[in-house]
Amino acid sequence: MNQRVGTDSSPLRFAACESASLPLFATFIGARRRAPPARTHRQIGSQLVGRRILAAMGGLDSSSMETDLDRPNIEEYLTTETIREVPKKLHLSDLLDISPTLTEAAGAIVDDSFTRCFKSNSPEPWNWNIYLFPLWCLGVVVRYGILFPASFSWLVSFSNLISCMFCRVGVLALGWIVFFAAFLPVHFLIRGHDKWRCKIERKLVEMMCSVFVASWTGVIKYHGPRPSRRPQQVFVANHTSMIDFIILEQMTAFAVIMQKHPGWVGFIQKTILESVGCIWFNRTESKDREVVATKIREHTQGVDNNPLLIFPEGTCVNNHYTVMFKKGAFELGCAVCPVAIKYNKIFVDAFWNSKKQSFTTHLAQLMTSWAVVCDVWYLEPQYIRPGEIPIEFAERVRDMISVRAGLKKVPWDGYLKYFRPSPKLTERKQQIFAESVLKRLEEI
Amino acid sequence: MGNASAMLTQYDIEEVQDHCNYLFSQQEIVALYSRFCQLDRTAKGFISSDEFLSIPEFSLNPLSQRLLKMVDGLNFKDFVAFLSAFSPQATTQQKIEFIFKVYDADGKGRVTFKDLLEVLRDLTGSFMSEEQREKVLGQVLEEAGYSRESTLYFEDFMKILSKAGLKMEVEVPVD
């Protein structure tokens, strides 16, 4: 039996994984079915009984950063054919034969479903022959030389203003000037009429986001009913880059949960986004989770607050896959409105690989390409079903978003980009093996 | 990734193929090279332990530390040779050789009771006590005709494992 490490269908990959390590594991299952469970198998029994208990075990553990759902539900992928009857007696060869574990490790080295989510897939170069190459050069000149810069030395015959108007940086700069000219007075001077102030600031932020989108010639199609401003609702979307927020913000002023960034992004976060009511979190702080959870809850209950936008993946993914959603947005007891975002890579890959480039470089890359093409679908609001736990609810919404945007699901926690997997996962593997050995030992 | 030195020439591919005893096809070697470059983020020419551990599936494998010692700091040629035991073309003997190397951590060519105990400890963690592990190992060793004091050599591994029907194959995804 080949350990198939396919490039898609990661659940199948895990199925192969699990069945490869089955010789002793299978014995355990076989034994469990025949004989009444012994005391030592109480914990294992609960582990195998189904998604709920697996999920509940993971859900109860709120103090660790990584969820226990990093591994998919074993029962879903095990079929009766893969469980073969193995002789019960323990031999030296059974203990010496570590090949299943080694195969899993080697399979992970050769190809794993997690790093695939963060791979920037650059498109095939199309300018590879003699007549396409000059065309491409011309394109570079237009993109970098005319569309991008505000410098008028290129366009000697035009006036400064006109060249500014046609250049992206110029558009952006103009937009910022107009924005600040309007925002600062409104923010500082209109103190008494808070409602008006908020309304104007919201409109200004929306306008600024539209300017941003125009500066990289965004071609964005919105499908579905526009978000409404009601309390008791939260919006969730898949995450590819920080521009997701800008794209959604230009349609509706959302309040968003963001990681605090350094530099000019942090400055904008502090000054402007405060006005739409954003919530900050810090990935590296462990107690942060509860604090943020409380803030979220308060926000959704406030009537005047902007609708809250959350990216439950917690990190940027390359728009071909979705990683596991964090359950924080799904245990608030309010409506969850999924939003699916899919970028068309025809002109540029909008995935922000935060390990490879800073946001400024990423923006510059977007602004020096022809256009950013994107589809946004606003999907039907979902409510938690009776008897459903938050993790199941999160998975259901992830299903909806993945299907709508044509993304593949991967059963990993996005935070594994920054942290190592919890040792509990290794311990679970060890537990399975140990208990099976012990069980067979008792039967010798 | 994408720097000029990241391209393999036909000579390079053939050299690597020779080094791994032709257990991988040329296409697989190219695919492994792009994977190697993807893992080696800082283009050092080898993959550090940290970069291996950033693969979650590898990190949560109970034998990851042992394998890390074997694979840490290998250049691409040795990396492919390391993985060649998992090729579908590899013989049972080559696979057993690999398993023997995992057990024989100090590379002396022999595996003692202590080595067997260490690997079993990695595999079972805190879910078996030390006494239980010793008891299990002692029992199966005796049943196979050895004792706690005996030293196992490669020939013993061949004898014990060649009947086991080893399934130790990994498929390299070729675009």
Side-chain angles (χ1 to χ4, degrees), chain A residues 106-107 109-110, chain B residues 24 32 78-87 98 170 172:
Chain A
I109 294 179
V110 164
Chain B
F24 284 119
L32 280 175
D78 296 325
F79 176 74
V80 172
F82 172 82
L83 288 175
S84 61
F86 295 90
S87 153
F98 188 88
V170 150
V172 178

Side-chain angles (χ1 to χ4, degrees), chain A residues 113-121 237-246 257-259 261 265 269 281 283 310-326 341 343 349-359 362 366 407 410 412-418:
Chain A
S113 53
F114 183 72
T115 21
R116 247 184 268 148
C117 297
F118 303 100
K119 201 168 154 198
S120 319
N121 302 313
N238 58 311
H239 200 29
T240 302
S241 164
M242 284 230 275
I243 63 173
D244 291 338
F245 164 65
I246 299 175
I257 301 186
M258 286 177 81
Q259 164 91 22
H261 284 269
V265 182
Q269 286 179 331
F281 75 90
R283 250 177 226 129
I310 300 180
F311 295 107
E313 287 175 312
T315 186
C316 292
V317 187
N318 72 356
N319 212 230
H320 287 283
Y321 299 91
T322 48
V323 294
M324 304 264 312
F325 278 9
K326 304 211 171 304
I341 307 176
Y343 290 89
D349 182 2
F351 167 48
W352 177 36
N353 197 340
S354 51
K355 297 216 161 179
K356 285 216 167 122
Q357 43 180 211
S358 69
F359 189 57
H362 174 64
L366 290 179
L407 308 169
V410 161
W412 294 105
D413 176 356
Y415 272 10
L416 288 171
K417 220 169 145 188
Y418 307 97

Side-chain angles (χ1 to χ4, degrees), chain A residues 294-429:
Chain A
T294 333
K295 285 196 205 159
I296 296 178
R297 209 175 282 271
E298 280 168 15
H299 189 104
T300 48
Q301 268 141 22
V303 176
D304 281 331
N305 291 331
N306 290 322
L308 189 58
L309 174 64
I310 300 180
F311 295 107
E313 287 175 312
T315 186
C316 292
V317 187
N318 72 356
N319 212 230
H320 287 283
Y321 299 91
T322 48
V323 294
M324 304 264 312
F325 278 9
K326 304 211 171 304
K327 60 180 171 38
F330 300 90
E331 46 189 16
L332 302 166
C334 56
V336 170
C337 312
V339 180
I341 307 176
K342 176 74 178 167
Y343 290 89
N344 190 330
K345 297 216 300 217
I346 185 170
F347 294 119
V348 74
D349 182 2
F351 167 48
W352 177 36
N353 197 340
S354 51
K355 297 216 161 179
K356 285 216 167 122
Q357 43 180 211
S358 69
F359 189 57
T360 320
T361 326
H362 174 64
L363 260 191
Q365 191 189 4
L366 290 179
M367 285 174 69
T368 53
S369 61
W370 289 111
V372 174
V373 183
C374 159
D375 278 290
V376 175
W377 290 276
Y378 294 106
L379 302 173
E380 193 188 318
Q382 299 294 311
Y383 299 88
I384 191 165
R385 294 195 183 133
E388 207 180 28
I389 56 172
I391 293 185
E392 290 175 343
F393 184 31
E395 277 300 292
R396 186 161 59 88
V397 171
R398 181 160 86 114
D399 260 331
M400 280 179 71
I401 293 181
S402 305
V403 165
R404 182 67 267 187
L407 308 169
K408 297 188 198 106
K409 289 171 53 178
V410 161
W412 294 105
D413 176 356
Y415 272 10
L416 288 171
K417 220 169 145 188
Y418 307 97
F419 303 105
R420 296 268 170 270
S422 161
K424 285 201 210 86
L425 296 167
T426 321
E427 279 171 23
R428 200 170 281 171
K429 280 184 184 261

Side-chain angles (χ1 to χ4, degrees), chain A residues 83-271:
Chain A
I83 302 171
R84 15 177 253 271
E85 284 301 314
V86 179
K88 288 197 298 191
K89 194 145 191 271
L90 197 63
H91 295 288
L92 181 59
S93 55
D94 297 315
L95 285 188
L96 280 189
D97 182 9
I98 49 174
S99 58
T101 319
L102 290 179
T103 318
E104 276 178 23
I109 294 179
V110 164
D111 185 25
D112 78 297
S113 53
F114 183 72
T115 21
R116 247 184 268 148
C117 297
F118 303 100
K119 201 168 154 198
S120 319
N121 302 313
S122 42
E124 291 286 315
W126 57 270
N127 53 10
W128 39 263
N129 68 16
I130 195 156
Y131 53 88
L132 290 177
F133 188 65
L135 275 178
W136 178 76
C137 286
L138 185 62
V140 167
V141 167
V142 172
R143 279 190 283 136
Y144 283 80
I146 301 178
L147 289 180
F148 180 66
S151 106
F152 57 92
S153 58
W154 272 95
L155 306 159
V156 174
S157 51
F158 295 152
S159 72
N160 286 8
L161 191 60
I162 296 178
S163 68
C164 267
M165 279 167 60
F166 286 108
C167 301
R168 288 175 178 180
V169 171
V171 164
L172 201 54
L174 206 58
W176 278 120
I177 294 171
V178 170
F179 176 77
F180 275 114
F183 186 82
L184 292 172
V186 167
H187 191 70
F188 291 113
L189 298 180
I190 309 184
R191 282 281 131 186
H193 313 274
D194 269 346
K195 252 197 125 149
W196 270 105
R197 183 168 65 91
C198 283
K199 235 183 154 171
I200 297 177
E201 283 176 354
R202 238 187 344 255
K203 284 291 163 218
L204 283 176
V205 171
E206 278 179 30
M207 183 220 81
M208 191 55 221
C209 288
S210 312
V211 168
F212 243 120
V213 171
S215 77
W216 9 275
T217 322
V219 178
I220 306 174
K221 274 192 86 174
Y222 295 92
H223 310 263
R226 304 293 175 259
S228 49
R229 297 179 46 81
R230 299 188 288 202
Q232 300 291 356
Q233 66 176 359
V234 102
F235 287 82
V236 299
N238 58 311
H239 200 29
T240 302
S241 164
M242 284 230 275
I243 63 173
D244 291 338
F245 164 65
I246 299 175
I247 285 172
L248 292 177
E249 191 80 0
Q250 90 164 336
M251 183 56 62
T252 332
F254 284 113
V256 76
I257 301 186
M258 286 177 81
Q259 164 91 22
K260 267 236 147 88
H261 284 269
W264 65 272
V265 182
F267 172 72
I268 295 184
Q269 286 179 331
K270 261 198 296 276
T271 49

Side-chain angles (χ1 to χ4, degrees), chain B residues 94-160:
Chain B
Q94 286 163 325
K95 295 187 200 284
I96 298 176
E97 241 179 79
F98 188 88
I99 296 181
F100 185 77
K101 271 194 260 178
V102 173
Y103 273 95
D104 178 24
D106 49 15
K108 296 227 176 73
R110 53 175 190 269
V111 170
T112 60
F113 186 75
K114 199 160 117 334
D115 294 322
L116 294 173
L117 205 58
E118 272 172 20
V119 174
L120 192 58
R121 195 180 305 132
D122 283 338
L123 286 174
T124 55
S126 54
F127 296 94
M128 268 176 87
S129 70
E130 200 61 19
E131 298 83 48
Q132 282 175 320
R133 284 192 274 261
E134 287 185 14
K135 177 169 165 230
V136 164
L137 269 177
Q139 268 186 322
V140 293
L141 276 171
E142 268 171 40
E143 186 234 353
Y146 300 95
S147 75
R148 286 196 183 202
E149 285 72 38
S150 31
T151 314
L152 294 169
Y153 296 92
F154 179 61
E155 299 77 38
D156 301 300
F157 265 67
M158 281 293 290
K159 207 165 55 164
I160 300 164

Side-chain angles (χ1 to χ4, degrees), chain A residues 5-8 111 116 119 121 124 321, chain B residues 1 26-35 171-175:
Chain A
V5 183
T7 46
D8 52 26
D111 185 25
R116 247 184 268 148
K119 201 168 154 198
N121 302 313
E124 291 286 315
Y321 299 91
Chain B
M1 236 194 86
Q26 298 203 351
Q27 273 186 318
E28 287 171 331
I29 291 178
V30 172
L32 280 175
Y33 188 67
S34 72
R35 174 68 173 175
E171 189 183 303
V172 178
V174 173
D175 304 312

